Structure formats: structure tokens, C-alpha cells
Amino acid sequence: MGLLDYFRASRPKGSASVAKERLQILVAHDRAERGRPSYIPRLQQEILEVIRKYVEVDMSAVSVKYEQEDCHEVLELNIVLPDSATGRL
Amino acid sequence: MGLLDYFRASRPKGSASVAKERLQILVAHDRAERGRPSYIPRLQQEILEVIRKYVEVDMSAVSVKYEQEDCHEVLELNIVLPDSATGRL
């Protein structure tokens, strides 16, 4: 399955006809060793700051999902951008 | 399919026994309008800079894939971290 297929499948149902501007960011980390503290939560904040340079992000429109299992961790950020979203640069 | 399953499925075959430190970053953008220039390539550079604050990244160990179709674009960064990778902070 290609990436575009994955994102198409994960898009909320019924949204096809409403052209919403969305950003989805996934960060997956395979760790060689357990036990070290994860830097992913800090990375999350910094990635959001980078995105806010380019588009307006209403923090209430950001949903965060974090899954961890053994040496794998995945962070998912889903951001619905405002309808008037225009690039800032 | 959950995210962890997706990443498990997308992991290179035969690598299960070798505990490699890896980071995979996906950025998917659903655009409401076509024709505006994409900011994703610039975002890619900035995200890499953020990651390099936390871990050493050898640029030759970064692979980039970019797919675009209609109003959807997906950027995938795959980074193999050095064996000695320790968090920088």
C-alpha cells in the first residue's frame, strides 16, 4: 500500500465533498534500546512551531495521538487548517 | 489498520533481528485549492533541522520520497540513525 493510499484510507469518512485544508504528520521512531527517555514529545512541540511559520494553526484544531509499544513509538498530529489558510511565506 | 501496524508493515524485511535506530516522518497535506505553491519542501528542511537538535543525522542516511496527486501531497523522510545515536539533550 502506498502512502497516498494510507492517507486516503485514514481520512474521515464523508469529507470528500468538503475541501478542507488538512495537515497530518506522523513521526515513527524505532529505538535500538529501551529505557532512554523519548525526545518525541519535545519534537512534537518544535514541529508545530515550524508549521506555524507557514500556516495559521489554531491549537484547538490539532489532535495528537501517541502510541508506544516495546521499542517503537509513533506520534500522529492531525491539524485542520482554517478555510482561509494561506501560506505565510 | 493502526499506525503502528502501518509502520511495522513498511519496515524493511529482515531487519527485525538487527536493532537499528530509525526515524520515519510523514507529512500529508490535503489542500483545499490547487495551484498555490507548496511549502512542504521548505517544511522538510526545517523538520530535519529540528531533528538534528536531538540526534545526529548523517544526511547520506536520509531518504526522501514525495508523492503528489491532485490536492494531496505526501512527504516521507526515512532516517537511519547511527548505532551510537544518543539523544543530544
Side-chain angles (χ1 to χ4, degrees), chain A residues 4 18 38 43 62-63 78:
Chain A
L4 277 167
V18 184
S38 171
L43 207 57
V62 178
S63 73
N78 277 291

Side-chain angles (χ1 to χ4, degrees), chain B residues 15 17 21 40 66 74 79 82:
Chain B
S15 66
S17 58
E21 191 100 12
I40 300 297
Y66 179 74
V74 181
I79 306 168

Side-chain angles (χ1 to χ4, degrees), chain A residues 45-81:
Chain A
Q45 283 309 318
E46 297 209 45
I47 288 175
L48 273 175
E49 280 162 33
V50 165
I51 290 167
R52 295 176 92 170
K53 290 188 197 175
Y54 295 97
V55 282
E56 267 187 71
V57 175
D58 176 355
M59 291 312 285
S60 69
V62 178
S63 73
V64 178
K65 202 155 79 177
Y66 179 75
E67 293 178 36
Q68 191 170 25
E69 188 189 84
D70 296 331
C71 295
H72 313 295
E73 50 183 342
V74 181
L75 170 75
E76 178 179 357
L77 299 175
N78 277 291
I79 305 169
V80 179
L81 302 172

Side-chain angles (χ1 to χ4, degrees), chain A residues 1-4 6-8 11 19-33 36 39-40 42-43 46-47 50-51 53-55 65 67-69 72-76 81 83 85-87 89, chain B residues 1-4 6-8 11 19-33 36 39-40 42-43 46-47 50-51 53-55 65 67-69 72-76 81 83 85-87 89:
Chain A
M1 186 167 74
L3 284 173
L4 277 167
Y6 177 77
F7 286 106
R8 207 174 285 123
R11 197 171 301 151
K20 273 276 177 199
E21 190 100 10
R22 283 170 209 278
L23 258 184
Q24 188 172 29
I25 293 133
L26 306 183
V27 180
H29 187 199
D30 281 355
R31 303 163 79 178
E33 289 170 42
R36 284 213 305 259
Y39 51 82
I40 299 298
R42 281 175 296 172
L43 207 57
E46 297 209 45
I47 288 175
V50 165
I51 290 167
K53 290 188 197 175
Y54 295 97
V55 282
K65 202 155 79 177
E67 293 178 36
Q68 191 170 25
E69 188 189 84
H72 313 295
E73 50 183 342
V74 181
L75 170 75
E76 178 179 357
L81 302 172
D83 285 340
T86 51
L89 292 182
Chain B
M1 185 168 73
L3 284 174
L4 276 167
Y6 176 76
F7 285 107
R8 208 175 284 123
R11 197 170 301 151
K20 273 277 177 197
E21 191 100 12
R22 282 171 209 277
L23 258 184
Q24 188 172 29
I25 292 134
L26 304 183
V27 180
H29 187 200
D30 280 356
R31 304 163 79 178
E33 288 171 42
R36 284 213 305 261
Y39 51 83
I40 300 297
R42 281 175 297 171
L43 208 57
E46 296 209 44
I47 288 176
V50 164
I51 289 166
K53 290 188 196 174
Y54 294 97
V55 282
K65 202 155 80 179
E67 292 179 37
Q68 190 168 24
E69 186 190 84
H72 313 294
E73 50 183 342
V74 181
L75 171 75
E76 179 180 358
L81 302 172
D83 286 339
T86 51
L89 293 181

